Amino acid sequence: MSELQCIVVTPEKTVVSAAVHFVALPLFDGELGVAPGHTPMIGRLGCGELRLETDEGIERYYVEGGFVEVNGDKITLLTNRAFPAAKLDELTAREALDTARQKPSHTPELMAIRDRAVTQARAQVQVARRNRK
Amino acid sequence: MAKARALDKRRKSIRNIRKITRTMELISTATFRRAMDRAVSVASYTDRINDLVAGLVRSGTEIRHSLLRQRQSVRNACLLVLSANRGLCGGYNGGVLRQAVLRWEELNATVENLRLEVSGKRGISGLQFRGIRPDETFIHFEDRPSYDEVEAIADRYLEAFETGAFDRLDVVYTKFESLSRQYPVAETLLPIGDLGGDRTAEPSDESQYEFLPSAESILDEVVPMSFKMKLFKCFLDAAASEQVARMLAMKAATENADQIIAHLTMTYNRARQGQITNELLEVIAGADALSK
């Protein structure tokens, strides 16, 4: 079975470098699945769950923004933040969502900041909930 | 006995100092290893960003962005100085300060409003001593600057640059080239002069990559990202250089202490020997006097 080499890097360290069969990643507008033989592409990432299907089963991570590059059998994710989904706690994520919702939004800039915080918190809640199942 | 005892006391205190400098040397060696590892992982991230830019160029995208454009008149500028929170690291802080004052005077001559931001207690006090007041100071950057902290500062700069609060951002820091070579530099980070990546690549008709959503939108993200990475790299370089500087300074101090200890031991032994000879002479003289 052909395999993909998946690398996830944040500015601080390389989080994942593994051989996988399939990757599901959060693009800015929805989820994208990448199987071996995918056409070369560069895309913008959103916030959400990254799933890696490996020999040992499915590994879940939370990633936040950045880019993905698919080239041949190499898939590289450049992201601001990435950590295993098991590290996310649904309750704390929900609290973060509540505080994010209460941020002031009376100017366009503040509105954009609030929206970003809400999107991130919402994505975290979702990933945490899915991981629990 | 007085002189010998005083010498012994001094020797003991120097031994204690030697212990401290030796420990500091070991600690900064360990911290430096970590700082170095981080610098390497950032390099791998920057390499990938450069690959992305090269991919964009090959696809025939015109590299244009507001952060890349040189402004015609530079009226407001910002200078960021990265120094250490602590001393005892040789010429590290001195080198940064010298470079900072130079750049400060140079910019002050051409720019109307110059904002100064300083990281590190040593830099703050050093500049204040020279009569330059920083507008903003940071002292929370230790030997491991985290990306989140740097990103917060980078976001503020990006916003200020785009809204026109300043037209130029300069950073003075110590560049880390290798273990044996670090030097203070002043670099202009905004506007971004060079995005990195292979710009000479020929745009070919058949684009290798598919872009989601579009090459322009990717570029919009890559450019600020590239700036953030550059700023982060500055912080990491400064941290690594500080550790190297401290390592070398403490190594020299330990060697110096060794020399002083050897010297004092010799003088101490001589003084002790002299005292014993003296006492013997006295005893013999006394015995001679009695037997007469």
Side-chain angles (χ1 to χ4, degrees), chain B residues 45-268:
Chain B
Y45 196 93
T46 352
D47 285 351
R48 300 226 151 86
I49 293 255
N50 287 347
D51 283 355
L52 269 182
V53 175
L56 284 170
V57 173
R58 265 200 300 278
S59 74
T61 317
E62 207 180 335
I63 304 284
R64 256 176 45 194
H65 195 277
S66 58
L67 294 180
L68 295 166
R69 219 181 5 252
Q70 296 284 338
R71 306 232 165 135
Q72 267 141 13
S73 65
V74 179
R75 293 175 54 205
N76 309 306
C78 182
L79 182 69
L80 174 68
V81 179
L82 302 183
S83 70
N85 265 342
R86 279 169 298 166
L88 289 182
C89 44
Y92 175 78
N93 287 313
V96 170
L97 280 178
R98 208 169 307 129
Q99 196 74 35
V101 170
L102 240 121
R103 185 51 75 101
W104 166 264
E105 279 165 0
E106 190 183 307
L107 280 177
N108 233 354
T110 55
V111 172
E112 285 170 28
N113 293 314
L114 184 54
R115 188 180 160 78
L116 179 68
E117 308 202 352
V118 186
S119 160
K121 288 179 192 157
R122 294 282 142 174
I124 298 167
S125 56
L127 284 172
Q128 264 167 359
F129 175 72
R130 285 166 178 79
I132 304 174
R133 288 196 67 80
D135 298 293
E136 174 102 41
T137 56
F138 316 100
I139 51 169
H140 59 285
F141 289 106
E142 287 290 339
D143 48 322
R144 293 177 69 174
S146 83
Y147 179 67
D148 289 345
E149 287 165 348
V150 176
E151 198 191 14
I153 295 177
D155 279 336
R156 190 159 56 77
Y157 285 153
L158 282 176
E159 199 192 311
F161 187 75
E162 298 214 2
T163 54
F166 53 75
D167 311 305
R168 176 174 169 175
L169 169 71
D170 279 24
V171 180
V172 178
Y173 69 103
T174 311
K175 205 177 180 72
F176 178 82
E177 204 157 84
S178 69
L179 191 54
S180 53
R181 197 167 149 71
Q182 308 93 35
Y183 47 92
V185 285
E187 283 181 358
T188 308
L189 282 201
L190 282 176
I192 303 174
D194 179 24
L195 201 52
D198 192 6
R199 295 258 214 131
T200 51
E202 278 292 304
S204 55
D205 287 340
E206 41 171 326
S207 166
Q208 191 197 354
Y209 289 106
E210 192 182 308
F211 292 100
L212 290 171
S214 67
E216 285 74 26
S217 136
I218 302 267
L219 187 69
D220 272 353
E221 281 264 310
V222 166
V223 175
M225 195 70 193
S226 154
F227 164 70
K228 285 179 193 170
M229 293 319 297
K230 276 188 179 165
L231 191 66
F232 188 43
K233 182 100 182 29
C234 292
F235 275 90
L236 288 182
D237 265 19
S241 307
E242 181 195 337
Q243 294 310 324
V244 176
R246 180 160 297 128
M247 216 161 85
L248 292 179
M250 289 301 114
K251 195 176 159 70
T254 311
E255 275 163 14
N256 217 351
D258 278 336
Q259 266 180 25
I260 296 178
I261 289 171
H263 180 74
L264 278 179
T265 309
M266 203 179 67
T267 345
Y268 166 73

Side-chain angles (χ1 to χ4, degrees), chain A residues 7-14 27-29 32 38-45 65-71 74 76-81 109 113 116, chain B residues 37-38 41-42 44-45 48-49 51-52 55-56 145-148 151 155 159 208-213 217-223 225 228-229 232 236:
Chain A
I7 302 166
V8 180
V9 282
T10 67
E12 295 197 0
K13 61 176 182 186
T14 304
L27 273 194
F28 68 105
D29 58 353
L32 174 84
H38 196 281
T39 175
M41 65 144 231
I42 295 176
R44 258 173 74 184
L45 289 175
F67 313 96
V68 56
E69 183 186 0
V70 182
N71 193 1
K74 252 176 76 179
T76 318
L77 279 92
L78 300 164
T79 177
N80 295 336
R81 218 165 283 147
E109 292 85 30
I113 292 171
R116 201 162 45 214
Chain B
D37 289 348
R38 280 158 67 86
S41 54
V42 173
S44 81
Y45 196 93
R48 300 226 151 86
I49 293 255
D51 283 355
L52 269 182
L56 284 170
S146 83
Y147 179 67
D148 289 345
E151 198 191 14
D155 279 336
E159 199 192 311
Q208 191 197 354
Y209 289 106
E210 192 182 308
F211 292 100
L212 290 171
S217 136
I218 302 267
L219 187 69
D220 272 353
E221 281 264 310
V222 166
V223 175
M225 195 70 193
K228 285 179 193 170
M229 293 319 297
F232 188 43
L236 288 182

Side-chain angles (χ1 to χ4, degrees), chain A residues 12-133:
Chain A
E12 295 197 0
K13 61 176 182 186
T14 304
V15 183
V16 185
S17 176
V20 294
H21 306 306
F22 178 79
V23 182
L25 45 91
L27 273 194
F28 68 105
D29 58 353
E31 206 174 56
L32 174 84
V34 180
H38 196 281
T39 175
M41 65 144 231
I42 295 176
R44 258 173 74 184
L45 289 175
C47 310
E49 184 191 49
L50 164 74
R51 275 198 315 280
L52 308 175
E53 286 180 19
T54 63
D55 288 334
E56 284 93 49
I58 296 178
E59 284 177 37
R60 290 165 198 274
Y61 292 89
Y62 170 77
V63 294
E64 201 176 282
F67 313 96
V68 56
E69 183 186 0
V70 182
N71 193 1
D73 56 358
K74 252 176 76 179
I75 164 164
T76 318
L77 279 92
L78 300 164
T79 177
N80 295 336
R81 218 165 283 147
F83 45 82
K87 280 201 181 162
L88 268 180
D89 179 36
E90 199 184 331
L91 278 177
T92 22
R94 267 186 198 288
E95 271 166 34
L97 180 57
D98 285 339
T99 37
R101 281 212 181 103
Q102 273 150 26
K103 282 191 179 201
S105 58
H106 45 269
T107 65
E109 292 85 30
L110 284 174
M111 187 102 144
I113 292 171
R114 193 192 88 127
D115 281 352
R116 201 162 45 214
V118 169
T119 327
Q120 285 173 2
R122 196 172 282 151
Q124 288 190 4
V125 171
Q126 240 166 34
V127 173
R129 196 188 299 149
R130 271 208 236 170
N131 190 52
R132 199 184 46 182
K133 277 176 191 165

